[in-house]
Coordinates of all heavy atoms in Angstrom, one line a residue:
M1 N -57.8 -45.3 -59.1 CA -58.3 -45.2 -57.9 C -58.3 -46.5 -57.0 O -59.2 -46.5 -56.1 CB -59.7 -44.5 -57.9 CG -59.7 -43.1 -58.5 SD -59.6 -42.0 -57.0 CE -60.1 -40.6 -57.9
P2 N -57.5 -47.4 -57.3 CA -57.5 -48.6 -56.6 C -57.2 -48.5 -55.0 O -57.7 -49.2 -54.3 CB -56.5 -49.5 -57.2 CG -55.7 -48.7 -58.2 CD -56.5 -47.4 -58.3
F3 N -56.4 -47.4 -54.8 CA -56.1 -47.2 -53.4 C -57.4 -46.8 -52.6 O -57.6 -47.3 -51.4 CB -55.1 -46.0 -53.2 CG -54.8 -45.6 -51.8 CD1 -54.0 -46.4 -51.1 CD2 -55.4 -44.5 -51.2 CE1 -53.7 -46.1 -49.7 CE2 -55.1 -44.2 -50.0 CZ -54.3 -44.9 -49.2
V4 N -58.2 -46.0 -53.2 CA -59.5 -45.7 -52.5 C -60.3 -46.9 -52.2 O -60.9 -47.1 -51.1 CB -60.3 -44.6 -53.3 CG1 -61.6 -44.3 -52.7 CG2 -59.5 -43.3 -53.4
D5 N -60.4 -47.7 -53.2 CA -61.2 -49.0 -53.1 C -60.6 -49.9 -52.1 O -61.4 -50.5 -51.2 CB -61.2 -49.8 -54.4 CG -61.9 -49.1 -55.6 OD1 -62.8 -48.2 -55.2 OD2 -61.6 -49.4 -56.8
V6 N -59.4 -50.1 -52.0 CA -58.7 -50.8 -50.9 C -59.0 -50.2 -49.5 O -59.3 -50.9 -48.5 CB -57.2 -50.9 -51.1 CG1 -56.5 -51.6 -49.9 CG2 -56.9 -51.7 -52.4
A7 N -58.9 -48.9 -49.4 CA -59.2 -48.2 -48.2 C -60.6 -48.4 -47.7 O -60.9 -48.7 -46.5 CB -58.8 -46.7 -48.3
L8 N -61.6 -48.3 -48.7 CA -63.0 -48.5 -48.3 C -63.2 -49.9 -48.0 O -64.0 -50.2 -47.0 CB -63.8 -48.2 -49.6 CG -64.1 -46.7 -49.9 CD1 -64.8 -46.5 -51.2 CD2 -64.8 -46.1 -48.7
A9 N -62.5 -50.9 -48.6 CA -62.7 -52.3 -48.2 C -62.3 -52.6 -46.8 O -62.9 -53.3 -46.1 CB -62.1 -53.2 -49.3
K10 N -61.1 -52.0 -46.5 CA -60.6 -52.2 -45.1 C -61.5 -51.6 -44.1 O -61.8 -52.1 -43.1 CB -59.2 -51.6 -45.0 CG -58.1 -52.4 -45.8 CD -56.8 -51.8 -45.5 CE -55.7 -52.8 -46.2 NZ -54.3 -52.1 -46.0
A11 N -62.0 -50.4 -44.4 CA -62.9 -49.7 -43.4 C -64.2 -50.6 -43.3 O -64.7 -50.7 -42.1 CB -63.3 -48.3 -44.0
K12 N -64.7 -51.0 -44.4 CA -66.0 -51.9 -44.3 C -65.7 -53.2 -43.4 O -66.4 -53.6 -42.5 CB -66.5 -52.3 -45.6 CG -67.2 -51.2 -46.4 CD -67.6 -51.6 -47.7 CE -68.2 -50.6 -48.5 NZ -68.6 -51.0 -49.8
K13 N -64.5 -53.7 -43.6 CA -64.1 -54.9 -43.0 C -64.0 -54.6 -41.4 O -64.5 -55.4 -40.5 CB -62.8 -55.5 -43.4 CG -62.4 -56.8 -42.7 CD -61.2 -57.3 -43.3 CE -60.6 -58.6 -42.6 NZ -59.4 -59.1 -43.1
G14 N -63.4 -53.5 -41.1 CA -63.3 -53.0 -39.7 C -64.6 -52.8 -39.1 O -64.8 -53.2 -37.9
M15 N -65.5 -52.2 -39.8 CA -66.9 -52.0 -39.2 C -67.6 -53.3 -39.0 O -68.3 -53.4 -37.9 CB -67.7 -51.1 -40.2 CG -67.2 -49.7 -40.3 SD -67.2 -48.8 -38.7 CE -68.9 -48.7 -38.4
I16 N -67.4 -54.3 -39.9 CA -68.1 -55.5 -39.7 C -67.5 -56.2 -38.4 O -68.2 -56.8 -37.6 CB -67.9 -56.5 -41.0 CG1 -68.7 -55.9 -42.0 CG2 -68.3 -57.9 -40.7 CD1 -68.5 -56.5 -43.4
S17 N -66.1 -56.1 -38.3 CA -65.5 -56.7 -37.1 C -66.0 -56.1 -35.9 O -66.2 -56.8 -34.8 CB -64.0 -56.4 -37.4 OG -63.3 -57.2 -36.4
I18 N -66.2 -54.7 -35.9 CA -66.7 -54.0 -34.6 C -68.1 -54.5 -34.3 O -68.5 -54.9 -33.2 CB -66.7 -52.5 -34.8 CG1 -65.2 -52.0 -34.8 CG2 -67.5 -51.8 -33.8 CD1 -65.0 -50.6 -35.3
Y19 N -68.9 -54.7 -35.3 CA -70.3 -55.2 -35.2 C -70.3 -56.5 -34.7 O -71.1 -56.8 -33.7 CB -71.1 -55.1 -36.5 CG -72.4 -55.5 -36.5 CD1 -73.4 -54.8 -36.0 CD2 -72.7 -56.7 -37.0 CE1 -74.7 -55.3 -35.9 CE2 -74.0 -57.2 -37.0 CZ -75.0 -56.5 -36.4 OH -76.3 -56.9 -36.4
E20 N -69.5 -57.4 -35.2 CA -69.4 -58.8 -34.8 C -69.0 -58.8 -33.3 O -69.5 -59.7 -32.5 CB -68.6 -59.6 -35.6 CG -69.1 -60.0 -37.0 CD -68.2 -60.7 -37.9 OE1 -67.0 -61.0 -37.5 OE2 -68.5 -61.0 -39.0
N21 N -68.0 -58.1 -32.9 CA -67.5 -58.1 -31.5 C -68.6 -57.7 -30.6 O -68.7 -58.2 -29.6 CB -66.2 -57.3 -31.5 CG -65.0 -58.0 -32.1 OD1 -65.0 -59.2 -32.2 ND2 -64.0 -57.2 -32.4
R22 N -69.3 -56.6 -31.0 CA -70.4 -56.1 -30.2 C -71.4 -57.2 -29.9 O -71.9 -57.4 -28.8 CB -71.0 -54.9 -30.8 CG -71.8 -54.1 -29.9 CD -72.3 -52.8 -30.5 NE -71.2 -51.9 -30.8 CZ -71.2 -51.0 -31.7 NH1 -72.3 -50.7 -32.5 NH2 -70.1 -50.2 -31.8
N23 N -71.8 -58.0 -31.0 CA -72.7 -59.0 -30.8 C -72.2 -60.2 -30.0 O -72.9 -60.8 -29.2 CB -73.2 -59.6 -32.3 CG -74.1 -58.6 -32.9 OD1 -74.7 -57.8 -32.4 ND2 -74.1 -58.7 -34.2
K24 N -70.9 -60.5 -30.2 CA -70.3 -61.5 -29.3 C -70.4 -61.1 -27.9 O -70.6 -62.0 -27.0 CB -68.8 -61.8 -29.6 CG -68.7 -62.6 -30.9 CD -67.2 -62.8 -31.1 CE -66.9 -63.5 -32.5 NZ -65.5 -63.7 -32.8
I25 N -70.1 -59.8 -27.5 CA -70.1 -59.4 -26.2 C -71.5 -59.5 -25.6 O -71.7 -59.9 -24.4 CB -69.6 -57.9 -26.0 CG1 -68.1 -57.9 -26.4 CG2 -69.9 -57.3 -24.8 CD1 -67.4 -56.6 -26.6
K26 N -72.5 -59.1 -26.4 CA -74.0 -59.2 -26.0 C -74.3 -60.7 -25.6 O -74.9 -60.9 -24.7 CB -74.8 -58.6 -27.0 CG -74.8 -57.1 -27.1 CD -75.8 -56.6 -28.1 CE -75.7 -55.1 -28.2 NZ -76.5 -54.6 -29.2
A27 N -73.9 -61.6 -26.5 CA -74.1 -63.0 -26.3 C -73.4 -63.5 -25.0 O -74.1 -64.3 -24.2 CB -73.7 -63.8 -27.5
M28 N -72.2 -63.0 -24.8 CA -71.5 -63.4 -23.6 C -72.2 -62.9 -22.3 O -72.4 -63.5 -21.4 CB -70.1 -62.9 -23.6 CG -69.2 -63.7 -24.5 SD -67.5 -63.1 -24.6 CE -67.0 -63.4 -22.9
E29 N -72.6 -61.6 -22.4 CA -73.4 -61.0 -21.2 C -74.7 -61.8 -21.0 O -75.0 -62.0 -19.8 CB -73.6 -59.5 -21.6 CG -72.4 -58.7 -21.5 CD -72.6 -57.3 -21.9 OE1 -73.6 -56.9 -22.6 OE2 -71.8 -56.4 -21.7
K30 N -75.3 -62.2 -22.0 CA -76.5 -62.9 -21.8 C -76.3 -64.2 -21.2 O -77.1 -64.6 -20.2 CB -77.2 -63.1 -23.3 CG -78.5 -63.8 -23.2 CD -79.1 -63.9 -24.6 CE -80.4 -64.6 -24.6 NZ -81.0 -64.7 -26.0
A31 N -75.2 -64.9 -21.5 CA -74.9 -66.1 -20.9 C -74.5 -66.0 -19.4 O -74.9 -66.7 -18.5 CB -73.7 -66.8 -21.6
L32 N -73.8 -64.9 -19.1 CA -73.4 -64.6 -17.8 C -74.6 -64.2 -16.9 O -74.6 -64.6 -15.7 CB -72.3 -63.4 -17.7 CG -71.0 -63.9 -18.3 CD1 -70.1 -62.6 -18.4 CD2 -70.3 -64.9 -17.3
E33 N -75.6 -63.6 -17.5 CA -76.7 -63.2 -16.7 C -77.5 -64.4 -16.2 O -78.2 -64.3 -15.3 CB -77.6 -62.2 -17.6 CG -77.1 -60.9 -17.7 CD -77.9 -60.0 -18.7 OE1 -79.0 -60.5 -19.2 OE2 -77.6 -58.9 -19.0
S34 N -77.4 -65.5 -17.0 CA -78.2 -66.7 -16.7 C -77.5 -67.5 -15.6 O -78.1 -68.5 -15.2 CB -78.5 -67.5 -17.9 OG -77.3 -68.1 -18.4
M35 N -76.3 -67.1 -15.2 CA -75.5 -67.9 -14.3 C -75.7 -67.4 -12.9 O -76.2 -66.3 -12.6 CB -74.0 -67.8 -14.6 CG -73.7 -68.5 -16.0 SD -72.0 -68.4 -16.3 CE -72.0 -68.7 -18.1
S36 N -75.2 -68.2 -12.0 CA -75.4 -67.9 -10.5 C -74.5 -66.8 -10.1 O -73.5 -66.5 -10.9 CB -75.1 -69.1 -9.6 OG -73.7 -69.5 -9.7
K37 N -74.8 -66.2 -8.9 CA -73.9 -65.1 -8.5 C -72.5 -65.5 -8.3 O -71.5 -64.8 -8.6 CB -74.5 -64.5 -7.2 CG -73.6 -63.4 -6.7 CD -74.2 -62.7 -5.5 CE -73.4 -61.6 -4.9 NZ -72.0 -61.4 -5.3
E38 N -72.4 -66.8 -7.8 CA -71.0 -67.3 -7.4 C -70.3 -67.5 -8.8 O -69.0 -67.2 -8.8 CB -71.1 -68.7 -6.8 CG -69.8 -69.1 -6.3 CD -69.8 -70.4 -5.4 OE1 -70.4 -71.3 -5.8 OE2 -69.2 -70.3 -4.3
D39 N -70.9 -68.0 -9.8 CA -70.3 -68.1 -11.1 C -69.8 -66.8 -11.7 O -68.7 -66.6 -12.3 CB -71.2 -68.9 -12.1 CG -71.2 -70.4 -11.9 OD1 -70.5 -70.9 -11.0 OD2 -72.0 -71.1 -12.5
N40 N -70.7 -65.8 -11.6 CA -70.4 -64.4 -12.0 C -69.2 -63.9 -11.3 O -68.3 -63.3 -11.9 CB -71.6 -63.5 -11.9 CG -72.5 -63.6 -13.1 OD1 -72.0 -63.2 -14.2 ND2 -73.7 -64.0 -12.9
D41 N -69.2 -64.1 -10.0 CA -68.0 -63.6 -9.1 C -66.8 -64.3 -9.6 O -65.7 -63.6 -9.7 CB -68.3 -64.0 -7.6 CG -69.5 -63.1 -7.1 OD1 -69.8 -62.1 -7.7 OD2 -70.0 -63.4 -6.0
I42 N -66.8 -65.6 -9.8 CA -65.6 -66.3 -10.2 C -65.1 -65.8 -11.6 O -63.9 -65.5 -11.7 CB -65.9 -67.8 -10.2 CG1 -66.0 -68.4 -8.9 CG2 -64.7 -68.5 -11.0 CD1 -66.5 -69.8 -8.7
F43 N -66.0 -65.6 -12.5 CA -65.7 -65.2 -13.8 C -65.0 -63.7 -13.7 O -63.9 -63.5 -14.3 CB -66.9 -65.1 -14.7 CG -66.7 -64.6 -16.1 CD1 -66.2 -65.6 -17.1 CD2 -66.8 -63.4 -16.4 CE1 -66.0 -65.1 -18.4 CE2 -66.6 -62.9 -17.7 CZ -66.2 -63.7 -18.7
E44 N -65.6 -62.9 -13.0 CA -65.1 -61.5 -12.9 C -63.7 -61.5 -12.2 O -62.9 -60.7 -12.6 CB -66.1 -60.6 -12.2 CG -67.4 -60.3 -13.1 CD -68.4 -59.5 -12.3 OE1 -68.1 -58.9 -11.2 OE2 -69.5 -59.3 -12.8
L45 N -63.7 -62.3 -11.1 CA -62.4 -62.2 -10.4 C -61.2 -62.8 -11.3 O -60.1 -62.2 -11.3 CB -62.5 -63.0 -9.1 CG -63.3 -62.4 -8.0 CD1 -63.6 -63.4 -6.9 CD2 -62.6 -61.2 -7.5
F46 N -61.5 -63.9 -12.0 CA -60.4 -64.5 -12.8 C -60.2 -63.7 -14.1 O -59.0 -63.3 -14.3 CB -61.0 -65.9 -13.3 CG -59.9 -66.7 -14.0 CD1 -58.9 -67.3 -13.3 CD2 -59.9 -66.8 -15.4 CE1 -57.9 -68.0 -13.9 CE2 -58.9 -67.6 -15.9 CZ -57.9 -68.2 -15.3
Y47 N -61.2 -63.2 -14.9 CA -61.0 -62.5 -16.1 C -60.8 -61.0 -16.0 O -60.1 -60.5 -16.8 CB -62.1 -62.8 -17.1 CG -61.9 -64.3 -17.6 CD1 -62.7 -65.4 -17.2 CD2 -60.9 -64.6 -18.5 CE1 -62.6 -66.6 -17.6 CE2 -60.8 -65.9 -19.0 CZ -61.6 -66.9 -18.6 OH -61.5 -68.2 -19.0
Y48 N -61.5 -60.3 -15.1 CA -61.4 -59.0 -15.0 C -60.5 -58.5 -14.0 O -59.7 -57.5 -14.2 CB -62.8 -58.3 -14.8 CG -63.8 -58.5 -15.8 CD1 -65.0 -58.9 -15.6 CD2 -63.4 -58.2 -17.2 CE1 -65.9 -59.2 -16.6 CE2 -64.4 -58.4 -18.2 CZ -65.5 -58.9 -17.9 OH -66.5 -59.1 -18.9
A49 N -60.4 -59.2 -12.8 CA -59.4 -58.8 -11.7 C -58.1 -59.5 -11.9 O -57.2 -59.1 -11.2 CB -60.1 -59.1 -10.4
G50 N -58.0 -60.5 -12.8 CA -56.7 -61.1 -13.0 C -56.3 -62.0 -11.8 O -55.0 -62.3 -11.8
K51 N -57.1 -62.5 -11.0 CA -56.7 -63.3 -9.9 C -56.6 -64.7 -10.2 O -57.2 -65.3 -11.1 CB -57.7 -63.1 -8.8 CG -57.8 -61.8 -8.2 CD -58.6 -61.7 -6.9 CE -58.5 -60.2 -6.3 NZ -58.7 -60.3 -5.0
K52 N -55.7 -65.4 -9.5 CA -55.4 -66.8 -9.7 C -56.5 -67.6 -9.0 O -57.2 -67.1 -8.1 CB -54.1 -67.2 -9.2 CG -52.9 -66.4 -9.7 CD -52.4 -67.0 -11.1 CE -51.2 -66.2 -11.5 NZ -51.1 -66.1 -12.9
G53 N -56.6 -68.9 -9.4 CA -57.6 -69.8 -8.8 C -57.5 -69.9 -7.3 O -58.5 -69.9 -6.5
K54 N -56.2 -69.9 -6.8 CA -56.0 -70.0 -5.4 C -56.5 -68.8 -4.6 O -57.0 -68.9 -3.6 CB -54.5 -70.3 -5.2 CG -54.0 -70.7 -3.8 CD -52.6 -71.1 -3.7 CE -52.3 -71.7 -2.5 NZ -50.8 -72.1 -2.4
E55 N -56.3 -67.6 -5.3 CA -56.7 -66.4 -4.6 C -58.2 -66.3 -4.5 O -58.8 -65.8 -3.6 CB -56.1 -65.1 -5.4 CG -54.6 -65.1 -5.4 CD -54.2 -64.0 -6.3 OE1 -54.5 -64.1 -7.5 OE2 -53.5 -63.1 -5.9
I56 N -58.9 -66.7 -5.7 CA -60.4 -66.7 -5.7 C -60.9 -67.6 -4.7 O -61.9 -67.2 -4.0 CB -60.8 -67.1 -7.2 CG1 -60.3 -66.0 -8.2 CG2 -62.3 -67.2 -7.2 CD1 -60.5 -66.5 -9.6
A57 N -60.3 -68.8 -4.6 CA -60.8 -69.8 -3.6 C -60.8 -69.3 -2.2 O -61.7 -69.4 -1.4 CB -60.0 -71.0 -3.8
K58 N -59.7 -68.6 -1.9 CA -59.6 -68.0 -0.6 C -60.5 -66.9 -0.3 O -61.2 -66.9 0.7 CB -58.1 -67.5 -0.4 CG -57.8 -67.0 1.1 CD -56.3 -66.6 1.1 CE -56.1 -66.1 2.6 NZ -54.7 -65.7 2.7
Q59 N -60.7 -66.1 -1.3 CA -61.6 -64.9 -1.2 C -63.1 -65.4 -1.0 O -63.9 -64.9 -0.3 CB -61.5 -64.0 -2.4 CG -62.3 -62.7 -2.3 CD -62.1 -61.8 -3.4 OE1 -61.1 -61.9 -4.0 NE2 -63.0 -60.8 -3.6
L60 N -63.5 -66.4 -1.8 CA -64.8 -67.0 -1.8 C -65.1 -68.1 -0.8 O -66.1 -68.6 -0.7 CB -65.2 -67.4 -3.2 CG -65.3 -66.2 -4.2 CD1 -65.7 -66.8 -5.6 CD2 -66.1 -65.1 -3.8
N61 N -64.0 -68.5 -0.1 CA -64.1 -69.6 0.9 C -64.6 -70.8 0.3 O -65.5 -71.5 0.8 CB -64.9 -69.1 2.1 CG -64.6 -70.0 3.3 OD1 -63.5 -70.5 3.5 ND2 -65.7 -70.1 4.2
I62 N -64.0 -71.2 -0.8 CA -64.3 -72.5 -1.5 C -62.9 -73.1 -1.9 O -61.9 -72.4 -1.8 CB -65.1 -72.2 -2.8 CG1 -64.5 -71.3 -3.8 CG2 -66.6 -71.8 -2.4 CD1 -65.3 -71.1 -5.1
T63 N -63.0 -74.3 -2.4 CA -61.8 -75.0 -2.8 C -61.1 -74.5 -4.1 O -62.1 -74.0 -5.0 CB -61.9 -76.6 -2.8 OG1 -62.8 -76.8 -3.9 CG2 -62.4 -77.1 -1.5
E64 N -60.0 -74.7 -4.3 CA -59.4 -74.3 -5.6 C -60.0 -75.2 -6.7 O -60.1 -74.8 -7.8 CB -57.9 -74.4 -5.6 CG -57.1 -73.8 -6.8 CD -55.7 -73.8 -6.7 OE1 -55.1 -74.2 -5.6 OE2 -55.0 -73.5 -7.7
F65 N -60.1 -76.4 -6.4 CA -60.7 -77.4 -7.3 C -62.1 -76.9 -7.9 O -62.4 -77.0 -9.0 CB -60.8 -78.8 -6.8 CG -61.4 -79.8 -7.6 CD1 -60.7 -80.3 -8.7 CD2 -62.7 -80.2 -7.5 CE1 -61.2 -81.3 -9.6 CE2 -63.3 -81.2 -8.4 CZ -62.6 -81.7 -9.4
K66 N -62.9 -76.4 -6.8 CA -64.2 -75.9 -7.3 C -64.1 -74.7 -8.2 O -64.9 -74.6 -9.1 CB -65.0 -75.6 -6.1 CG -66.4 -75.2 -6.3 CD -67.3 -75.0 -5.0 CE -68.7 -74.8 -5.2 NZ -69.5 -74.6 -4.1
V67 N -63.2 -73.9 -8.0 CA -63.0 -72.7 -8.8 C -62.6 -73.2 -10.2 O -63.2 -72.7 -11.2 CB -61.8 -71.8 -8.3 CG1 -61.4 -70.7 -9.3 CG2 -62.2 -71.1 -7.0
K68 N -61.7 -74.1 -10.3 CA -61.3 -74.6 -11.6 C -62.4 -75.3 -12.4 O -62.6 -75.1 -13.6 CB -60.1 -75.6 -11.5 CG -58.8 -74.9 -11.1 CD -57.7 -75.9 -11.0 CE -56.4 -75.2 -10.5 NZ -55.3 -76.1 -10.5
T69 N -63.2 -76.0 -11.6 CA -64.4 -76.7 -12.1 C -65.4 -75.7 -12.6 O -66.0 -75.8 -13.7 CB -65.0 -77.7 -11.1 OG1 -64.0 -78.6 -10.7 CG2 -66.2 -78.4 -11.7
R70 N -65.6 -74.7 -11.9 CA -66.7 -73.7 -12.2 C -66.1 -72.9 -13.5 O -66.9 -72.6 -14.3 CB -66.9 -72.8 -11.1 CG -67.7 -73.3 -9.9 CD -69.2 -73.5 -10.3 NE -69.9 -74.0 -9.3 CZ -70.6 -73.2 -8.4 NH1 -70.7 -71.9 -8.5 NH2 -71.4 -73.8 -7.5
L71 N -64.9 -72.6 -13.5 CA -64.3 -71.9 -14.7 C -64.5 -72.7 -16.0 O -65.0 -72.1 -17.0 CB -62.9 -71.5 -14.5 CG -62.7 -70.3 -13.6 CD1 -61.1 -70.2 -13.3 CD2 -63.1 -69.0 -14.3
Y72 N -64.3 -74.1 -15.8 CA -64.5 -74.9 -17.0 C -65.9 -74.8 -17.5 O -66.2 -74.7 -18.7 CB -64.1 -76.3 -16.7 CG -64.5 -77.3 -17.6 CD1 -63.8 -77.4 -18.9 CD2 -65.6 -78.1 -17.6 CE1 -64.0 -78.3 -19.8 CE2 -66.0 -79.0 -18.5 CZ -65.2 -79.1 -19.7 OH -65.6 -80.0 -20.7
R73 N -66.9 -74.9 -16.4 CA -68.3 -75.0 -16.8 C -68.7 -73.6 -17.4 O -69.6 -73.6 -18.3 CB -69.1 -75.4 -15.6 CG -68.9 -76.8 -15.2 CD -69.7 -77.2 -14.0 NE -69.5 -78.5 -13.7 CZ -69.7 -79.1 -12.4 NH1 -70.3 -78.3 -11.5 NH2 -69.5 -80.3 -12.2
I74 N -68.3 -72.5 -16.8 CA -68.6 -71.2 -17.3 C -68.1 -71.0 -18.7 O -68.9 -70.5 -19.6 CB -67.9 -70.1 -16.3 CG1 -68.6 -70.1 -15.0 CG2 -68.0 -68.8 -17.0 CD1 -67.8 -69.3 -14.0
R75 N -66.9 -71.4 -19.0 CA -66.4 -71.3 -20.4 C -67.3 -72.1 -21.4 O -67.5 -71.7 -22.5 CB -64.9 -71.7 -20.5 CG -64.0 -70.6 -19.9 CD -62.6 -71.0 -20.1 NE -62.1 -72.1 -19.4 CZ -61.4 -72.0 -18.2 NH1 -61.2 -70.8 -17.8 NH2 -61.0 -73.1 -17.6
K76 N -67.6 -73.3 -20.8 CA -68.5 -74.2 -21.7 C -69.8 -73.5 -22.0 O -70.3 -73.5 -23.2 CB -68.6 -75.5 -21.0 CG -69.3 -76.6 -21.8 CD -69.4 -77.9 -21.1 CE -70.1 -79.0 -21.8 NZ -70.1 -80.2 -21.1
K77 N -70.5 -72.9 -21.0 CA -71.8 -72.2 -21.2 C -71.7 -71.1 -22.1 O -72.6 -70.8 -22.9 CB -72.3 -71.8 -19.8 CG -72.8 -72.9 -19.0 CD -73.4 -72.4 -17.6 CE -73.8 -73.5 -16.7 NZ -74.1 -72.9 -15.3
I78 N -70.6 -70.4 -22.0 CA -70.4 -69.1 -22.9 C -70.2 -69.6 -24.3 O -70.7 -69.1 -25.2 CB -69.2 -68.3 -22.4 CG1 -69.6 -67.6 -21.0 CG2 -68.9 -67.2 -23.4 CD1 -68.5 -66.9 -20.4
K79 N -69.4 -70.7 -24.4 CA -69.1 -71.2 -25.8 C -70.4 -71.7 -26.4 O -70.7 -71.4 -27.6 CB -68.1 -72.3 -25.7 CG -67.7 -72.9 -27.1 CD -66.8 -74.1 -26.9 CE -66.5 -74.7 -28.4 NZ -65.8 -75.9 -28.3
Q80 N -71.3 -72.3 -25.6 CA -72.6 -72.8 -26.1 C -73.4 -71.7 -26.5 O -74.2 -71.7 -27.5 CB -73.3 -73.8 -25.1 CG -72.6 -75.1 -25.0 CD -73.1 -75.8 -23.7 OE1 -73.8 -75.4 -22.9 NE2 -72.9 -77.1 -23.7
S81 N -73.5 -70.7 -25.7 CA -74.3 -69.5 -26.0 C -73.8 -68.8 -27.3 O -74.7 -68.4 -28.1 CB -74.2 -68.5 -24.8 OG -74.9 -67.4 -25.0
L82 N -72.5 -68.7 -27.5 CA -72.0 -68.1 -28.7 C -72.3 -68.9 -29.9 O -72.7 -68.4 -31.0 CB -70.5 -67.8 -28.6 CG -70.0 -66.7 -27.6 CD1 -68.5 -66.8 -27.4 CD2 -70.5 -65.4 -28.1
E83 N -72.2 -70.2 -29.7 CA -72.5 -71.1 -30.9 C -74.0 -71.1 -31.2 O -74.3 -71.1 -32.4 CB -72.1 -72.6 -30.6 CG -70.6 -72.8 -30.5 CD -70.2 -74.1 -30.2 OE1 -70.9 -74.9 -29.6 OE2 -69.0 -74.5 -30.4
K84 N -74.8 -70.9 -30.2 CA -76.3 -70.7 -30.4 C -76.6 -69.5 -31.3 O -77.6 -69.4 -32.0 CB -77.0 -70.7 -29.1 CG -78.5 -70.7 -29.1 CD -79.0 -70.7 -27.8 CE -80.5 -70.8 -27.8 NZ -81.1 -70.8 -26.4
E85 N -75.8 -68.5 -31.1 CA -75.9 -67.2 -31.8 C -75.2 -67.2 -33.2 O -75.2 -66.3 -33.9 CB -75.3 -66.0 -31.0 CG -76.0 -65.7 -29.7 CD -77.5 -65.2 -29.9 OE1 -77.6 -64.5 -30.8 OE2 -78.2 -65.6 -29.0
G86 N -74.6 -68.4 -33.5 CA -74.1 -68.6 -34.8 C -72.5 -68.4 -34.9 O -71.9 -68.5 -36.0
Y87 N -71.9 -68.3 -33.8 CA -70.4 -68.2 -33.9 C -69.8 -69.6 -33.7 O -70.3 -70.3 -32.8 CB -69.9 -67.3 -32.7 CG -70.3 -65.9 -32.8 CD1 -71.4 -65.4 -32.1 CD2 -69.7 -65.1 -33.8 CE1 -71.9 -64.2 -32.2 CE2 -70.2 -63.7 -33.9 CZ -71.3 -63.3 -33.2 OH -71.7 -62.0 -33.3
R88 N -68.8 -70.0 -34.4 CA -68.2 -71.4 -34.3 C -66.8 -71.3 -33.9 O -66.1 -70.4 -34.4 CB -68.4 -72.0 -35.7 CG -69.8 -72.2 -36.3 CD -70.4 -73.4 -35.5 NE -71.8 -73.6 -36.0 CZ -72.8 -73.6 -35.2 NH1 -72.7 -73.4 -34.0 NH2 -74.0 -73.8 -35.6
Y89 N -66.5 -72.3 -33.0 CA -65.1 -72.4 -32.6 C -64.6 -73.8 -32.8 O -65.4 -74.8 -32.7 CB -64.9 -72.0 -31.2 CG -65.3 -70.5 -30.9 CD1 -66.6 -70.2 -30.5 CD2 -64.4 -69.5 -31.1 CE1 -66.9 -68.8 -30.4 CE2 -64.7 -68.2 -31.0 CZ -66.0 -67.9 -30.6 OH -66.3 -66.6 -30.4
E90 N -63.4 -74.0 -33.1 CA -62.8 -75.4 -33.2 C -62.0 -75.7 -32.1 O -61.5 -75.0 -31.2 CB -61.9 -75.4 -34.5 CG -62.7 -75.1 -35.7 CD -61.9 -75.2 -37.0 OE1 -60.8 -75.8 -37.0 OE2 -62.3 -74.6 -37.9

């Protein structure tokens, strides 16, 4: 019955992966909640709406440089938040 054991091991690994992803998403949401409305808008426009920095700058009436700087800081805050929850990145 090694096939059953392998199948169970894969299923357990998949469940752990789903659980870890759910926790990562919660940690990211927590980090985003602590940010300003403008940072949230920039994040959503870039990652969810798929807009380019130039488009976001025009829409929010800010410079493209400010958009890039904010995205860098947002990613840094999210990374710190995830690391605080025990996730490590290289």
Side-chain angles (χ1 to χ4, degrees):
M1 296 266 193
F3 176 76
V4 173
D5 293 338
V6 171
L8 285 173
K10 285 183 179 180
K12 285 180 185 177
K13 184 178 178 183
M15 292 303 289
I16 291 169
S17 188
I18 290 169
Y19 178 76
E20 286 177 1
N21 285 339
R22 195 174 294 158
N23 286 338
K24 281 182 189 179
I25 291 168
K26 285 180 183 179
M28 286 180 64
E29 287 173 345
K30 187 177 177 181
L32 289 169
E33 286 172 4
S34 70
M35 293 181 202
S36 69
K37 181 181 179 343
E38 187 175 52
D39 284 351
N40 273 298
D41 291 344
I42 290 169
F43 181 86
E44 288 179 11
L45 289 168
F46 188 80
Y47 287 103
Y48 295 130
K51 295 195 176 205
K52 305 277 186 207
K54 195 172 190 176
E55 296 170 305
I56 296 168
K58 186 176 181 181
Q59 184 173 339
L60 298 179
N61 199 27
I62 58 177
T63 65
E64 186 176 358
F65 179 77
K66 187 172 184 179
V67 171
K68 289 178 181 182
T69 302
R70 289 287 181 97
L71 282 170
Y72 171 79
R73 290 179 183 161
I74 291 166
R75 285 189 288 264
K76 188 175 177 180
K77 287 179 186 178
I78 291 172
K79 182 180 176 188
Q80 289 171 343
S81 180
L82 288 172
E83 287 176 344
K84 189 176 179 181
E85 295 294 323
Y87 299 101
R88 297 282 179 237
Y89 297 93
E90 296 182 25

